[in-house]
Amino acid sequence: IMEKSKSIAINFGIGVGILTLTSLLGIYYLKKSKVVRKRRTCVKLTNGKELIEKYDAFVFDCDGVVWSGGKAIPGAIEALGKLKSLNKKLFFFTNSAASTREHYLEKFLRLGADVTSEQIHSSATCAATYLAENGFKNKKIYTIGEKGLHEELKRVGLNPVGLEDNQYYGISPEKISSITIDPEIAAVVVGFDRNISYYKISYAAMCIRYSPNVLFLATNLDLTFPVHDRLVPGNGGIVEAISMGAGRGPDVIAGKPNPTGLNLILSLSGIDKKKVLMTGDRLDTDIEFGNNAGVDTMLVLSGCCKESDGISAKPFQSPSYI
């Protein structure tokens, strides 16, 4: 949310200037006319309450919007509670594929948010759904990623392998070049992996390069993600390393900005797109995700982006609101 001249104070103690998820609550109580950025066009609201009343469902990114690291963004949990009290439908979509829905649910509950597992979606659940619906059940999937990604793939009847490769470090290129590629590998799935190694990158790349029918699926291409006051490397670098070794990029990107996940949420909720607002802290994932799915979007400034980033965004990454 932008004001023509001076900063505005948002209720619920969020302070002045930095707008986070509590922007949703603040605009509910503002009485004066404010200027809100609407797809490169400033729309003047006669009543801030209209923005809350306009939408029946809100989809939120998690990292940088609801929490940062292990701590809630100031005011975020209160905002979710207020929206729930107004009978709004709430959904959450994280591009992280490192954990299961149950893990994320535990985190929400620990931070004080009253949500259910059915409200939580991730690039891991989208990857699993895509593979299960496209003939990969019971087939071997070479999977780079955390245990949570492996569990989500198993949940829908897939056969992920590769977790045991965490043990291989310091293997020479000569030895790797002589490794036999499993001919039963039908797909390579690449998610964020804290145990990434030269062996894993090499084996995944060789599966793709030397087995032309192997599907290459990336859970997301996030270059970074916010932890406390810093940005740390994300899955995008891992995918790029494998792509360079394989000689081609992913066939499928399961997470944002691919609109598949949001379209799934829309289908499950049965809500008109015009009544849905996607909220996130990244232009190249969250905002583009919402724009690709045809819903309104709001950029919050509690994560990766500054207000100037939203104002100068490319048309396909331009938020409806800041």
Side-chain angles (χ1 to χ4, degrees):
I1 303 173
M2 301 185 301
E3 184 173 325
K4 293 180 179 179
S5 56
K6 298 181 180 179
S7 298
I8 59 173
I10 303 296
N11 283 338
F12 302 98
I14 196 58
V16 177
I18 298 178
L19 301 182
T20 65
L21 178 56
T22 48
S23 302
L24 290 170
L25 295 181
I27 56 177
Y28 186 80
Y29 289 93
L30 293 176
K31 301 300 183 181
K32 296 180 180 180
S33 298
K34 303 296 176 187
V35 175
V36 177
R37 181 170 165 72
K38 178 73 171 177
R39 299 201 187 282
R40 293 192 172 275
T41 301
C42 288
V43 176
K44 191 174 183 178
L45 297 177
T46 58
N47 186 341
K49 186 177 179 180
E50 294 175 5
L51 190 59
I52 291 294
E53 293 178 340
K54 181 178 179 180
Y55 300 105
D56 293 333
F58 295 81
V59 183
F60 298 102
D61 176 44
C62 295
D63 286 320
V65 178
V66 179
W67 59 64
S68 178
K71 297 182 180 180
I73 298 290
I77 303 304
E78 294 82 358
L80 296 177
K82 182 63 180 181
L83 289 172
K84 183 177 181 179
S85 73
L86 295 171
N87 295 318
K88 304 297 182 180
K89 290 189 176 181
L90 307 180
F91 300 95
F92 305 91
F93 193 103
T94 174
N95 243 12
S96 172
S99 302
T100 62
R101 279 184 174 181
E102 290 77 13
H103 172 85
Y104 288 118
L105 178 60
E106 289 177 6
K107 186 168 186 177
F108 273 108
L109 297 177
R110 176 170 53 81
L111 294 175
D114 183 13
V115 303
T116 64
S117 61
E118 289 75 17
Q119 294 172 270
I120 303 168
H121 302 267
S122 72
S123 61
T125 60
C126 282
T129 299
Y130 177 87
L131 292 169
E133 292 180 351
N134 284 275
F136 288 88
K137 281 192 174 183
N138 299 315
K139 294 184 179 180
K140 282 188 179 180
I141 314 294
Y142 187 72
T143 305
I144 291 178
E146 302 285 322
K147 186 178 179 180
L149 175 56
H150 285 254
E151 291 180 0
E152 288 292 353
L153 297 180
K154 289 178 181 178
R155 192 194 303 270
V156 296
L158 301 169
N159 182 20
V161 297
L163 198 61
E164 64 279 3
D165 290 348
N166 287 348
Q167 63 185 305
Y168 297 128
Y169 285 95
I171 296 179
S172 69
E174 289 76 18
K175 287 186 177 180
I176 287 178
S177 68
S178 64
I179 292 174
T180 301
I181 300 171
D182 187 342
E184 294 185 2
I185 298 294
V188 172
V189 172
V190 181
F192 180 70
D193 191 338
R194 292 172 297 172
N195 294 297
I196 192 63
S197 65
Y198 180 64
Y199 176 87
K200 286 185 176 183
I201 291 172
S202 298
Y203 190 78
M206 290 192 298
C207 285
I208 298 164
R209 179 181 283 275
Y210 298 113
S211 302
N213 293 325
V214 167
L215 179 79
F216 182 8
L217 183 150
T219 59
N220 67 75
L221 300 180
D222 291 0
L223 295 178
T224 61
F225 59 94
V227 178
H228 303 308
D229 60 345
R230 293 184 176 181
L231 295 178
V232 298
N235 190 47
I238 300 174
V239 174
E240 183 65 17
I242 293 170
S243 298
M244 295 296 287
R248 65 181 178 90
D251 301 303
V252 177
I253 301 171
K256 298 176 284 190
N258 188 315
T260 302
L262 189 47
N263 287 334
L264 175 62
I265 292 173
L266 293 172
S267 175
L268 293 173
S269 66
I271 297 176
D272 187 341
K273 288 184 178 182
K274 294 180 180 179
K275 305 293 287 182
V276 177
L277 182 68
M278 172 66 207
T279 300
D281 68 310
R282 297 184 69 113
L283 296 169
D284 59 345
T285 55
D286 305 320
I287 303 306
E288 189 174 343
F289 179 57
N291 290 346
N292 286 342
V295 305
D296 285 345
T297 55
M298 185 168 77
L299 177 70
V300 294
L301 309 178
S302 50
C304 296
C305 290
K306 304 184 296 293
E307 184 176 301
S308 59
D309 296 326
I311 294 172
S312 61
K314 300 172 183 177
F316 59 91
Q317 294 177 352
S318 179
S320 306
Y321 309 102
I322 298 176

